[in-house]
Amino acid sequence: MTGDVAVLGAGMHPWGKWGRSFVEYGTVAARAALSDAGIGWQDVQSVVGADTVRGGYPGYVAGATFAQALGWQGARVTSVYAACASGAQAINTARAQILAGMADVVLVVGADAAPKGFFAPAGGDRPDDPDWLRFRVLGATNPAYFALYARRRMALYGDTPEDFALVKVKNAAAGALNPNARYRTPVTADQVAASAVVADPLRLLDICATSDGAAAVVMSSMEFARRHGAADPVRIRAVSTVTPTYPKAVLDLPDIATDSAIAAEPAPESFRASIARSAYEEAAIGPEELSLAEVYDLSTALELEWYEDIGLCAAGEGAKLVREGATALGGRIPVNPSGGLASFGEAVPAQAIAQVCELTWQLRGTAGERQIPGARAGITANQGLFGHGSAVVAVR
């Protein structure tokens, strides 16, 4: 039995600050994906919702929330929470149901209505929660953590704030071509340098915003896709949801310390690198076969780290790629042709699904002005709080 599953439809609600319920956003995205797939809501046999933790109902149930909003019709339902990896976990759950023969057609939805400013922990005292502790004990907000990683790159590899700015310039240029992006205005390096310092060395335009938004995909078995008339659909070939390996020698949010390496040698690769490696191994392809990548650019510096983690270059060479234009539209291996989080902002349960939407449109050849000619394979990569891996390989 093949491990491939088909992506029949992809849909989004444009991202921004709309001031409405996450349910409305997710319903719009779901209907767009169903229309794109040519599938009726009554034909969906399972709904997998990526949970929202800030705009959601008590209990943060997303799967049944979207099923109810679309109209109860008896479908199986699942809700998944894995922080920023929730969308990939939801896609993996849908894939598992399809390959197990539990459903032929599955709708995957993620949506959020994010708070203004940076994310903070939910209310209440939780001294056993490392996310709560890093805010309360250290005052380590997300931008502070992003800045630590930027400083680490500067110390280890000689990266500069000018290198980081080039990532924003590249992603803003792509986002300007994306009708679903929140920010659709090109940005210059001078504008990045002139924006306010948030957490030195990162400036406001180096860091992604928080946003409202939604994304959805309709997935099916390959047999159903053929019966439905999709002879050559985009196929998901691998999903990586691996966890870190002990000991972790590099600080990883939300933990406020690394593991001791006295008793055991650190793993030869980072957690993020292991996420990508697992996906490549399952898909039986390598980074040299990629046409594009969508990565988790919480900050400009972190995008450079992902270039190395997904195998586009050796450690310390990420800045060289962006300087050469290799990762821009028209370059050797475009990264974040959607515009990335730099252009969208974070809508946590939706972002890993949105990455798969972009891969779908690129591999179909329907991405419009940002289309990568002849795209045949792509990878998504991000990670969720508390050790959730997230990578998807799609091919055509």
Side-chain angles (χ1 to χ4, degrees):
M1 181 177 67
T2 176
D4 286 358
V5 296
V7 182
L8 293 184
M12 296 180 70
H13 183 291
W15 292 29
K17 284 288 187 181
W18 307 112
R20 299 193 293 274
S21 166
F22 82 99
V23 182
E24 180 178 336
Y25 307 143
T27 303
V28 168
R31 287 175 175 154
L34 289 167
S35 176
D36 185 47
I39 295 290
W41 165 234
Q42 295 292 331
D43 298 320
V44 172
Q45 298 166 343
S46 179
V47 180
V48 184
D51 284 3
T52 175
V53 295
R54 290 177 174 83
Y57 298 153
Y60 312 130
V61 176
T65 300
F66 295 126
Q68 182 181 30
L70 291 163
W72 295 126
Q73 46 87 312
R76 182 189 301 271
V77 70
T78 311
S79 295
V80 174
Y81 178 68
C84 294
S86 296
Q89 294 268 4
I91 286 170
N92 197 42
T93 299
R95 182 181 71 144
Q97 291 179 355
I98 292 167
L99 293 178
M102 297 166 64
D104 275 333
V105 182
V106 183
L107 172 66
V108 179
V109 192
D112 207 356
K116 184 177 181 180
F118 57 73
F119 291 117
D125 292 342
R126 297 186 308 284
D128 57 347
D129 176 358
D131 197 35
W132 184 89
L133 284 171
R134 56 116 175 173
F135 278 95
R136 304 299 185 190
V137 176
L138 293 182
T141 63
N142 289 5
Y145 171 78
F146 306 155
L148 289 173
Y149 250 98
R151 281 288 174 196
R152 183 175 184 271
R153 289 197 63 83
M154 294 170 76
L156 287 178
Y157 308 129
D159 290 6
T160 68
E162 291 74 24
D163 294 325
F164 303 152
L166 291 176
V167 176
K168 175 66 176 185
V169 172
K170 171 188 74 71
N171 288 347
L177 305 175
N178 193 332
N180 290 307
R182 176 179 177 182
Y183 301 105
R184 300 193 58 201
T185 303
V187 171
T188 67
D190 287 343
Q191 287 174 308
V192 178
S195 63
V197 173
V198 175
D200 192 49
L202 298 179
R203 297 180 175 271
L204 185 63
L205 294 183
D206 283 304
I207 297 171
C208 75
T210 59
S211 289
D212 298 356
V217 291
V218 175
M219 298 165 54
S220 80
S221 65
M222 294 301 296
E223 181 182 352
F224 179 91
R226 285 189 288 270
R227 293 200 312 267
H228 187 63
D232 184 27
V234 172
R235 304 183 300 282
I236 291 177
R237 181 153 289 173
V239 184
S240 171
T241 59
V242 298
T243 54
T245 301
Y246 179 86
K248 291 191 297 179
V250 178
L251 184 66
D252 195 20
L253 196 83
D255 298 319
I256 57 178
T258 56
D259 297 330
S260 171
I262 294 174
E265 288 292 322
E269 62 184 0
S270 69
F271 171 42
R272 284 191 294 272
S274 73
I275 298 170
R277 175 182 52 75
S278 175
Y280 289 137
E281 288 177 352
E282 184 179 331
I285 69 170
E288 68 282 353
E289 297 172 71
L290 296 176
S291 306
L292 72 151
E294 282 281 314
V295 304
Y296 190 42
D297 59 317
L298 291 168
S299 77
T300 51
L302 190 60
E303 178 168 322
L304 298 181
E305 195 92 6
W306 277 114
Y307 294 173
E308 299 156 17
D309 292 331
I310 66 173
L312 303 186
C313 60
E317 295 182 358
K320 182 173 181 285
L321 284 190
V322 77
R323 288 184 211 127
E324 295 172 347
T327 56
L329 287 173
R332 174 174 61 82
I333 175 65
V335 177
N336 286 337
S338 68
L341 296 182
S343 299
F344 279 77
E346 282 200 274
V348 170
Q351 51 209 35
I353 303 171
Q355 290 180 322
V356 173
C357 288
E358 181 66 18
L359 259 57
T360 299
W361 293 322
Q362 289 286 352
L363 296 177
R364 283 182 183 171
T366 59
E369 293 180 88
R370 64 187 190 280
Q371 180 63 51
I372 297 163
R376 302 298 297 175
I379 191 171
T380 72
N382 69 37
Q383 67 181 106
L385 223 55
F386 311 111
H388 291 113
S390 169
V392 178
V393 172
V395 300
R396 193 170 189 192

